[in-house]
Amino acid sequence: VQKPGIKGALVADRHGLALALHGTAPEGAAGPAKLLVDRAKQLGEGQACAVCITTDSGSVLLEEQSALTVVLY
């Protein structure tokens, strides 16, 4: 991952299985990330949406694109 400000990336399939991990993306995050994106989509009544979690130590952006869940750290 070579974009300024991005420390890691994760791509998960529609079952929450990790397809790719780069940088600081934790190995066990694919399933929980998929569940979080699915829950956000339910709250948005099926609309495509993105989830951004921000803390003092950084931000995480989660988004569904086609059948893939993409997470940027």
Side-chain angles (χ1 to χ4, degrees):
V1 179
Q2 298 184 9
K3 296 282 184 183
I6 298 177
K7 299 175 184 171
L10 176 150
V11 178
D13 69 6
R14 62 188 179 101
H15 301 291
L17 300 174
L19 300 175
L21 293 167
H22 297 283
T24 61
E27 289 184 27
K34 175 63 175 150
L35 289 173
L36 186 57
V37 167
D38 286 348
R39 179 61 68 172
K41 198 159 75 169
Q42 287 175 348
L43 292 172
E45 299 178 358
Q47 299 285 332
C49 61
V51 177
C52 184
I53 302 169
T54 303
T55 67
D56 291 339
S57 60
S59 297
V60 179
L61 176 66
L62 303 95
E63 183 176 17
E64 188 173 71
Q65 297 180 4
S66 300
L68 301 175
T69 298
V70 178
V71 184
L72 301 176
Y73 296 86

